[in-house]
Amino acid sequence: MIVLGIETSCDETGAGVVADGRMRSNVIASQIDLHERFGGVVPELASRAHVMALDPTVDRALADAGVTGRDIDAVAVTAGPGLAGALLVGIASAKAYAAAWGVHFVAVNHLEGHVEAAFLHDPSLRPPLVALLVSGGHSMIALMTGHGVFEVLGRTIDDAAGEAFDKVARFMGLGFPGGPAIDRLAKEGDPGAIRFPRALPEAAYDFSFSGLKTAVIRWLREREARGEEIDAADVAASFQEAIVDVQVTKTVRAATETGARTVVVAGGVASNSRLRSRMVQACAAAGVRVAIPPPLLCTDNGAMIAAAGARTLALRGPTPLEAGAVPGLALGVPA
Ligand code: KG4
Ligand code: ZN
């Protein structure tokens, strides 16, 4: 079974090929340069850039995998959640490829794609497991009892983790996207330098990141008003530590309390080096198995959509060509 996966839900045009559960290629055309000067993703620009980048990205994904359209058994695409216009570009192309090659079309839930990246990376992984799914648009802890079967245990009540990284980085003048910039700068700082608040310690699995973001911004403004020098690396490291602390504590707690005893970390924020190392440490201490895909499989990509497409096809069969974009699609809901 050879599946081509297409991803256009936000600002990365992705195409990847997965053959019998093994990744054969994963090509990403990033739009970071395009959106950087606006400090965030501009939906209309994203859609247009996807139109331009999609066919060359698919061509390269096929070439890298050493296959042609004739070898493909199914074309999978992100149907949601994501930006409506951006999603439509990928969906229209995927349908066209599927029709032209006479193969199955499969609509995929993007959030399930992030989790499936962990199985692509480590095929020995088995549900049940607890997934920490943290990206620019989502932050949640979910119990996965089977492929496509999720129970959301907790979620953010305000900003997503990646959004908090991006907003604080923007305030600090670190550019876009903020997560990688803070990750880099934090390596030179002391994570214990400033004690920023850890939100919702009493709530079992829910998150809140907006108060932390405000606390960091207030701290910076006060120092600026007093004309004090600040150590930006210490601020970045201390902010990152506050986010990571809460995520690690709640995820490990969920893995032990549900009895799942396996953790997957997925989504763009899963490429954060501090989150990765702290999660590995905490899981080892708790006797919990942990799988975190390599960074290129954590941020949006086509291979994870191909992997999820193969699962979706096996579970539910092909998707009718009438299916459209579902910008607000929730985890565990078929696309
Ligand atoms: O999963 P993703 O590529 O797109 C969405 O589905 O949202 O996640 C993008 C988010 C951005 O907010 C970005 O700042 C964050 O992931 N991110 C990181 C890192 N790399 C990407 N956050 C923290 N540390 C990183 N190294
Ligand atoms: Zn994503």
Side-chain angles (χ1 to χ4, degrees), residues 9-12 110 114 134-138 161-163 165-166 177-180 183 240 267-273 298-300:
S9 68
C10 191
D11 60 343
E12 319 272 11
H110 177 84
H114 276 301
V134 273
S135 71
H138 300 271
E163 198 179 352
F165 271 103
D166 293 340
D183 194 346
Q240 178 174 272
V269 179
S271 45
N272 183 270
S273 61
C298 290
T299 44
D300 292 347

PDB file of all heavy atoms in Angstrom, residues 9-12 110 114 134-138 161-163 165-166 177-180 183 240 267-273 298-300, ligand 1:
ATOM      1  N   SER A   9      -2.819  22.766   5.558  1.00  0.00           N
ATOM      2  CA  SER A   9      -3.797  23.367   6.489  1.00  0.00           C
ATOM      3  C   SER A   9      -3.395  24.733   7.005  1.00  0.00           C
ATOM      4  O   SER A   9      -4.224  25.512   7.452  1.00  0.00           O
ATOM      5  CB  SER A   9      -4.043  22.424   7.662  1.00  0.00           C
ATOM      6  OG  SER A   9      -2.890  22.332   8.464  1.00  0.00           O
ATOM      7  N   CYS A  10      -2.077  25.048   6.964  1.00  0.00           N
ATOM      8  CA  CYS A  10      -1.649  26.338   7.530  1.00  0.00           C
ATOM      9  C   CYS A  10      -0.600  26.977   6.630  1.00  0.00           C
ATOM     10  O   CYS A  10      -0.919  27.382   5.520  1.00  0.00           O
ATOM     11  CB  CYS A  10      -1.165  26.142   8.957  1.00  0.00           C
ATOM     12  SG  CYS A  10      -0.917  27.686   9.837  1.00  0.00           S
ATOM     13  N   ASP A  11       0.642  27.024   7.071  1.00  0.00           N
ATOM     14  CA  ASP A  11       1.653  27.748   6.280  1.00  0.00           C
ATOM     15  C   ASP A  11       2.777  26.864   5.755  1.00  0.00           C
ATOM     16  O   ASP A  11       3.811  27.374   5.323  1.00  0.00           O
ATOM     17  CB  ASP A  11       2.239  28.905   7.099  1.00  0.00           C
ATOM     18  CG  ASP A  11       2.915  28.423   8.362  1.00  0.00           C
ATOM     19  OD1 ASP A  11       2.665  27.284   8.776  1.00  0.00           O
ATOM     20  OD2 ASP A  11       3.691  29.197   8.951  1.00  0.00           O
ATOM     21  N   GLU A  12       2.592  25.544   5.788  1.00  0.00           N
ATOM     22  CA  GLU A  12       3.583  24.658   5.180  1.00  0.00           C
ATOM     23  C   GLU A  12       2.882  23.872   4.088  1.00  0.00           C
ATOM     24  O   GLU A  12       1.846  23.262   4.339  1.00  0.00           O
ATOM     25  CB  GLU A  12       4.157  23.636   6.183  1.00  0.00           C
ATOM     26  CG  GLU A  12       4.459  24.175   7.559  1.00  0.00           C
ATOM     27  CD  GLU A  12       5.850  24.766   7.683  1.00  0.00           C
ATOM     28  OE1 GLU A  12       6.510  24.937   6.640  1.00  0.00           O
ATOM     29  OE2 GLU A  12       6.257  25.074   8.811  1.00  0.00           O
ATOM     30  N   HIS A 110      -6.192  16.333  10.545  1.00  0.00           N
ATOM     31  CA  HIS A 110      -4.817  16.833  10.732  1.00  0.00           C
ATOM     32  C   HIS A 110      -4.259  16.469  12.124  1.00  0.00           C
ATOM     33  O   HIS A 110      -3.075  16.134  12.258  1.00  0.00           O
ATOM     34  CB  HIS A 110      -4.838  18.363  10.546  1.00  0.00           C
ATOM     35  CG  HIS A 110      -3.531  19.043  10.767  1.00  0.00           C
ATOM     36  ND1 HIS A 110      -2.578  19.147   9.784  1.00  0.00           N
ATOM     37  CD2 HIS A 110      -3.011  19.666  11.849  1.00  0.00           C
ATOM     38  CE1 HIS A 110      -1.535  19.810  10.254  1.00  0.00           C
ATOM     39  NE2 HIS A 110      -1.769  20.128  11.511  1.00  0.00           N
ATOM     40  N   HIS A 114      -0.824  14.306  13.227  1.00  0.00           N
ATOM     41  CA  HIS A 114       0.282  14.592  14.154  1.00  0.00           C
ATOM     42  C   HIS A 114       0.574  13.380  15.034  1.00  0.00           C
ATOM     43  O   HIS A 114       1.736  13.036  15.264  1.00  0.00           O
ATOM     44  CB  HIS A 114      -0.063  15.797  15.037  1.00  0.00           C
ATOM     45  CG  HIS A 114       0.238  17.129  14.393  1.00  0.00           C
ATOM     46  ND1 HIS A 114       1.499  17.475  13.966  1.00  0.00           N
ATOM     47  CD2 HIS A 114      -0.559  18.207  14.120  1.00  0.00           C
ATOM     48  CE1 HIS A 114       1.480  18.698  13.452  1.00  0.00           C
ATOM     49  NE2 HIS A 114       0.236  19.162  13.519  1.00  0.00           N
ATOM     50  N   VAL A 134       0.480  19.398  20.913  1.00  0.00           N
ATOM     51  CA  VAL A 134       0.742  20.826  21.133  1.00  0.00           C
ATOM     52  C   VAL A 134       1.252  21.467  19.845  1.00  0.00           C
ATOM     53  O   VAL A 134       2.305  21.105  19.329  1.00  0.00           O
ATOM     54  CB  VAL A 134       1.746  21.046  22.286  1.00  0.00           C
ATOM     55  CG1 VAL A 134       1.023  21.103  23.615  1.00  0.00           C
ATOM     56  CG2 VAL A 134       2.828  19.972  22.353  1.00  0.00           C
ATOM     57  N   SER A 135       0.471  22.415  19.328  1.00  0.00           N
ATOM     58  CA  SER A 135       0.860  23.059  18.071  1.00  0.00           C
ATOM     59  C   SER A 135       0.513  24.545  18.139  1.00  0.00           C
ATOM     60  O   SER A 135       0.232  25.079  19.209  1.00  0.00           O
ATOM     61  CB  SER A 135       0.126  22.390  16.906  1.00  0.00           C
ATOM     62  OG  SER A 135      -1.232  22.732  16.950  1.00  0.00           O
ATOM     63  N   GLY A 136       0.528  25.195  16.976  1.00  0.00           N
ATOM     64  CA  GLY A 136       0.203  26.613  16.942  1.00  0.00           C
ATOM     65  C   GLY A 136      -1.274  26.858  17.205  1.00  0.00           C
ATOM     66  O   GLY A 136      -1.668  27.916  17.698  1.00  0.00           O
ATOM     67  N   GLY A 137      -2.104  25.886  16.893  1.00  0.00           N
ATOM     68  CA  GLY A 137      -3.548  26.069  17.055  1.00  0.00           C
ATOM     69  C   GLY A 137      -4.177  25.226  18.143  1.00  0.00           C
ATOM     70  O   GLY A 137      -5.329  25.459  18.509  1.00  0.00           O
ATOM     71  N   HIS A 138      -3.450  24.251  18.681  1.00  0.00           N
ATOM     72  CA  HIS A 138      -4.062  23.301  19.618  1.00  0.00           C
ATOM     73  C   HIS A 138      -3.129  22.948  20.757  1.00  0.00           C
ATOM     74  O   HIS A 138      -1.927  22.877  20.562  1.00  0.00           O
ATOM     75  CB  HIS A 138      -4.454  22.007  18.898  1.00  0.00           C
ATOM     76  CG  HIS A 138      -5.433  22.244  17.797  1.00  0.00           C
ATOM     77  ND1 HIS A 138      -6.783  22.228  17.991  1.00  0.00           N
ATOM     78  CD2 HIS A 138      -5.241  22.562  16.505  1.00  0.00           C
ATOM     79  CE1 HIS A 138      -7.392  22.525  16.855  1.00  0.00           C
ATOM     80  NE2 HIS A 138      -6.471  22.733  15.936  1.00  0.00           N
ATOM     81  N   ALA A 161      -0.220  26.307  23.098  1.00  0.00           N
ATOM     82  CA  ALA A 161       1.178  26.428  23.536  1.00  0.00           C
ATOM     83  C   ALA A 161       2.028  27.147  22.484  1.00  0.00           C
ATOM     84  O   ALA A 161       2.799  28.059  22.802  1.00  0.00           O
ATOM     85  CB  ALA A 161       1.755  25.046  23.828  1.00  0.00           C
ATOM     86  N   GLY A 162       1.869  26.750  21.218  1.00  0.00           N
ATOM     87  CA  GLY A 162       2.653  27.377  20.150  1.00  0.00           C
ATOM     88  C   GLY A 162       2.321  28.853  19.996  1.00  0.00           C
ATOM     89  O   GLY A 162       3.204  29.679  19.711  1.00  0.00           O
ATOM     90  N   GLU A 163       1.059  29.169  20.218  1.00  0.00           N
ATOM     91  CA  GLU A 163       0.600  30.561  20.141  1.00  0.00           C
ATOM     92  C   GLU A 163       1.290  31.390  21.230  1.00  0.00           C
ATOM     93  O   GLU A 163       1.712  32.532  20.991  1.00  0.00           O
ATOM     94  CB  GLU A 163      -0.912  30.527  20.363  1.00  0.00           C
ATOM     95  CG  GLU A 163      -1.689  31.723  19.945  1.00  0.00           C
ATOM     96  CD  GLU A 163      -3.187  31.500  20.220  1.00  0.00           C
ATOM     97  OE1 GLU A 163      -3.609  30.375  20.584  1.00  0.00           O
ATOM     98  OE2 GLU A 163      -3.929  32.477  20.073  1.00  0.00           O
ATOM     99  N   PHE A 165       4.220  30.735  22.646  1.00  0.00           N
ATOM    100  CA  PHE A 165       5.609  30.897  22.191  1.00  0.00           C
ATOM    101  C   PHE A 165       5.685  32.028  21.162  1.00  0.00           C
ATOM    102  O   PHE A 165       6.554  32.895  21.229  1.00  0.00           O
ATOM    103  CB  PHE A 165       6.122  29.604  21.541  1.00  0.00           C
ATOM    104  CG  PHE A 165       6.763  28.631  22.493  1.00  0.00           C
ATOM    105  CD1 PHE A 165       6.092  27.496  22.918  1.00  0.00           C
ATOM    106  CD2 PHE A 165       8.057  28.847  22.953  1.00  0.00           C
ATOM    107  CE1 PHE A 165       6.694  26.592  23.787  1.00  0.00           C
ATOM    108  CE2 PHE A 165       8.670  27.949  23.819  1.00  0.00           C
ATOM    109  CZ  PHE A 165       7.979  26.814  24.236  1.00  0.00           C
ATOM    110  N   ASP A 166       4.775  31.988  20.175  1.00  0.00           N
ATOM    111  CA  ASP A 166       4.825  32.973  19.088  1.00  0.00           C
ATOM    112  C   ASP A 166       4.577  34.395  19.596  1.00  0.00           C
ATOM    113  O   ASP A 166       5.241  35.340  19.171  1.00  0.00           O
ATOM    114  CB  ASP A 166       3.806  32.603  17.996  1.00  0.00           C
ATOM    115  CG  ASP A 166       4.174  31.310  17.280  1.00  0.00           C
ATOM    116  OD1 ASP A 166       5.356  30.915  17.339  1.00  0.00           O
ATOM    117  OD2 ASP A 166       3.291  30.686  16.666  1.00  0.00           O
ATOM    118  N   PRO A 177       8.436  32.009  13.017  1.00  0.00           N
ATOM    119  CA  PRO A 177       7.649  31.608  14.190  1.00  0.00           C
ATOM    120  C   PRO A 177       8.484  31.662  15.467  1.00  0.00           C
ATOM    121  O   PRO A 177       9.697  31.458  15.432  1.00  0.00           O
ATOM    122  CB  PRO A 177       7.241  30.165  13.863  1.00  0.00           C
ATOM    123  CG  PRO A 177       8.324  29.669  12.948  1.00  0.00           C
ATOM    124  CD  PRO A 177       8.836  30.868  12.194  1.00  0.00           C
ATOM    125  N   GLY A 178       7.823  31.944  16.572  1.00  0.00           N
ATOM    126  CA  GLY A 178       8.535  32.224  17.809  1.00  0.00           C
ATOM    127  C   GLY A 178       9.100  31.015  18.523  1.00  0.00           C
ATOM    128  O   GLY A 178      10.110  31.127  19.226  1.00  0.00           O
ATOM    129  N   GLY A 179       8.449  29.871  18.367  1.00  0.00           N
ATOM    130  CA  GLY A 179       8.884  28.682  19.101  1.00  0.00           C
ATOM    131  C   GLY A 179      10.346  28.341  18.877  1.00  0.00           C
ATOM    132  O   GLY A 179      11.129  28.260  19.840  1.00  0.00           O
ATOM    133  N   PRO A 180      10.763  28.161  17.623  1.00  0.00           N
ATOM    134  CA  PRO A 180      12.167  27.820  17.381  1.00  0.00           C
ATOM    135  C   PRO A 180      13.125  28.910  17.875  1.00  0.00           C
ATOM    136  O   PRO A 180      14.210  28.604  18.376  1.00  0.00           O
ATOM    137  CB  PRO A 180      12.247  27.694  15.848  1.00  0.00           C
ATOM    138  CG  PRO A 180      10.842  27.441  15.404  1.00  0.00           C
ATOM    139  CD  PRO A 180       9.959  28.121  16.395  1.00  0.00           C
ATOM    140  N   ASP A 183      13.382  28.604  21.659  1.00  0.00           N
ATOM    141  CA  ASP A 183      14.120  27.360  21.919  1.00  0.00           C
ATOM    142  C   ASP A 183      15.630  27.613  21.795  1.00  0.00           C
ATOM    143  O   ASP A 183      16.415  27.254  22.688  1.00  0.00           O
ATOM    144  CB  ASP A 183      13.650  26.309  20.890  1.00  0.00           C
ATOM    145  CG  ASP A 183      14.067  24.890  21.238  1.00  0.00           C
ATOM    146  OD1 ASP A 183      14.928  24.715  22.116  1.00  0.00           O
ATOM    147  OD2 ASP A 183      13.550  23.951  20.607  1.00  0.00           O
ATOM    148  N   GLN A 240      10.002  29.388  28.810  1.00  0.00           N
ATOM    149  CA  GLN A 240       9.918  28.043  28.228  1.00  0.00           C
ATOM    150  C   GLN A 240       9.766  26.990  29.329  1.00  0.00           C
ATOM    151  O   GLN A 240       8.983  26.048  29.199  1.00  0.00           O
ATOM    152  CB  GLN A 240      11.184  27.772  27.419  1.00  0.00           C
ATOM    153  CG  GLN A 240      11.272  26.408  26.793  1.00  0.00           C
ATOM    154  CD  GLN A 240      12.491  26.297  25.885  1.00  0.00           C
ATOM    155  OE1 GLN A 240      12.435  26.623  24.712  1.00  0.00           O
ATOM    156  NE2 GLN A 240      13.594  25.851  26.437  1.00  0.00           N
ATOM    157  N   GLY A 267       2.841  17.358  17.343  1.00  0.00           N
ATOM    158  CA  GLY A 267       2.553  18.754  16.989  1.00  0.00           C
ATOM    159  C   GLY A 267       3.831  19.576  16.966  1.00  0.00           C
ATOM    160  O   GLY A 267       4.878  19.145  17.479  1.00  0.00           O
ATOM    161  N   GLY A 268       3.756  20.754  16.375  1.00  0.00           N
ATOM    162  CA  GLY A 268       4.937  21.594  16.176  1.00  0.00           C
ATOM    163  C   GLY A 268       5.745  21.849  17.439  1.00  0.00           C
ATOM    164  O   GLY A 268       6.981  21.833  17.414  1.00  0.00           O
ATOM    165  N   VAL A 269       5.067  22.058  18.574  1.00  0.00           N
ATOM    166  CA  VAL A 269       5.771  22.371  19.821  1.00  0.00           C
ATOM    167  C   VAL A 269       6.549  21.154  20.330  1.00  0.00           C
ATOM    168  O   VAL A 269       7.498  21.295  21.111  1.00  0.00           O
ATOM    169  CB  VAL A 269       4.777  22.920  20.877  1.00  0.00           C
ATOM    170  CG1 VAL A 269       5.471  23.242  22.185  1.00  0.00           C
ATOM    171  CG2 VAL A 269       4.071  24.179  20.352  1.00  0.00           C
ATOM    172  N   ALA A 270       6.191  19.959  19.852  1.00  0.00           N
ATOM    173  CA  ALA A 270       6.927  18.749  20.239  1.00  0.00           C
ATOM    174  C   ALA A 270       8.360  18.779  19.722  1.00  0.00           C
ATOM    175  O   ALA A 270       9.188  17.974  20.141  1.00  0.00           O
ATOM    176  CB  ALA A 270       6.217  17.498  19.725  1.00  0.00           C
ATOM    177  N   SER A 271       8.676  19.720  18.820  1.00  0.00           N
ATOM    178  CA  SER A 271      10.074  19.827  18.394  1.00  0.00           C
ATOM    179  C   SER A 271      10.889  20.667  19.375  1.00  0.00           C
ATOM    180  O   SER A 271      12.101  20.807  19.211  1.00  0.00           O
ATOM    181  CB  SER A 271      10.186  20.370  16.962  1.00  0.00           C
ATOM    182  OG  SER A 271       9.354  21.450  16.781  1.00  0.00           O
ATOM    183  N   ASN A 272      10.253  21.194  20.427  1.00  0.00           N
ATOM    184  CA  ASN A 272      10.988  21.987  21.427  1.00  0.00           C
ATOM    185  C   ASN A 272      11.989  21.104  22.190  1.00  0.00           C
ATOM    186  O   ASN A 272      11.614  20.098  22.787  1.00  0.00           O
ATOM    187  CB  ASN A 272       9.996  22.633  22.402  1.00  0.00           C
ATOM    188  CG  ASN A 272      10.700  23.516  23.416  1.00  0.00           C
ATOM    189  OD1 ASN A 272      11.086  23.063  24.479  1.00  0.00           O
ATOM    190  ND2 ASN A 272      10.898  24.773  23.058  1.00  0.00           N
ATOM    191  N   SER A 273      13.249  21.522  22.185  1.00  0.00           N
ATOM    192  CA  SER A 273      14.295  20.653  22.737  1.00  0.00           C
ATOM    193  C   SER A 273      14.126  20.441  24.243  1.00  0.00           C
ATOM    194  O   SER A 273      14.387  19.363  24.756  1.00  0.00           O
ATOM    195  CB  SER A 273      15.673  21.226  22.422  1.00  0.00           C
ATOM    196  OG  SER A 273      15.817  22.501  22.994  1.00  0.00           O
ATOM    197  N   CYS A 298       7.318  16.495  13.497  1.00  0.00           N
ATOM    198  CA  CYS A 298       6.463  17.155  14.504  1.00  0.00           C
ATOM    199  C   CYS A 298       5.727  18.341  13.898  1.00  0.00           C
ATOM    200  O   CYS A 298       4.519  18.507  14.101  1.00  0.00           O
ATOM    201  CB  CYS A 298       7.301  17.640  15.683  1.00  0.00           C
ATOM    202  SG  CYS A 298       7.961  16.316  16.705  1.00  0.00           S
ATOM    203  N   THR A 299       6.440  19.200  13.176  1.00  0.00           N
ATOM    204  CA  THR A 299       5.766  20.319  12.520  1.00  0.00           C
ATOM    205  C   THR A 299       5.006  19.772  11.305  1.00  0.00           C
ATOM    206  O   THR A 299       5.235  18.647  10.877  1.00  0.00           O
ATOM    207  CB  THR A 299       6.787  21.400  12.095  1.00  0.00           C
ATOM    208  OG1 THR A 299       7.915  20.751  11.512  1.00  0.00           O
ATOM    209  CG2 THR A 299       7.268  22.205  13.288  1.00  0.00           C
ATOM    210  N   ASP A 300       4.096  20.574  10.779  1.00  0.00           N
ATOM    211  CA  ASP A 300       3.198  20.102   9.713  1.00  0.00           C
ATOM    212  C   ASP A 300       3.983  19.511   8.540  1.00  0.00           C
ATOM    213  O   ASP A 300       4.945  20.113   8.064  1.00  0.00           O
ATOM    214  CB  ASP A 300       2.339  21.272   9.222  1.00  0.00           C
ATOM    215  CG  ASP A 300       1.359  21.730  10.287  1.00  0.00           C
ATOM    216  OD1 ASP A 300       1.180  21.005  11.291  1.00  0.00           O
ATOM    217  OD2 ASP A 300       0.753  22.805  10.110  1.00  0.00           O
TER     218      ASP A 300
HETATM  219  O1  KG4 B   1       2.052  21.729  14.157  1.00  0.00           O
HETATM  220  P1  KG4 B   1       2.503  23.033  13.587  1.00  0.00           P
HETATM  221  O2  KG4 B   1       3.598  23.011  12.555  1.00  0.00           O
HETATM  222  O3  KG4 B   1       1.311  23.813  12.948  1.00  0.00           O
HETATM  223  C1  KG4 B   1       0.035  23.796  13.509  1.00  0.00           C
HETATM  224  O4  KG4 B   1      -0.702  22.806  13.228  1.00  0.00           O
HETATM  225  O5  KG4 B   1      -0.238  24.741  14.273  1.00  0.00           O
HETATM  226  O6  KG4 B   1       2.932  23.938  14.833  1.00  0.00           O
HETATM  227  C2  KG4 B   1       3.443  25.230  14.661  1.00  0.00           C
HETATM  228  C3  KG4 B   1       3.773  25.799  16.037  1.00  0.00           C
HETATM  229  C4  KG4 B   1       4.180  27.266  16.016  1.00  0.00           C
HETATM  230  O7  KG4 B   1       3.453  27.960  17.005  1.00  0.00           O
HETATM  231  C5  KG4 B   1       5.672  27.220  16.359  1.00  0.00           C
HETATM  232  O8  KG4 B   1       6.131  28.366  17.046  1.00  0.00           O
HETATM  233  C6  KG4 B   1       5.730  25.987  17.230  1.00  0.00           C
HETATM  234  O9  KG4 B   1       4.858  25.066  16.628  1.00  0.00           O
HETATM  235  N1  KG4 B   1       7.092  25.443  17.281  1.00  0.00           N
HETATM  236  C7  KG4 B   1       7.842  25.400  18.410  1.00  0.00           C
HETATM  237  C8  KG4 B   1       9.100  24.881  18.020  1.00  0.00           C
HETATM  238  N2  KG4 B   1       9.068  24.609  16.685  1.00  0.00           N
HETATM  239  C9  KG4 B   1       7.823  24.962  16.247  1.00  0.00           C
HETATM  240  N3  KG4 B   1       7.556  25.766  19.663  1.00  0.00           N
HETATM  241  C10 KG4 B   1       8.523  25.610  20.584  1.00  0.00           C
HETATM  242  N4  KG4 B   1       9.764  25.147  20.300  1.00  0.00           N
HETATM  243  C11 KG4 B   1      10.091  24.759  19.046  1.00  0.00           C
HETATM  244  N5  KG4 B   1      11.311  24.292  18.782  1.00  0.00           N
END
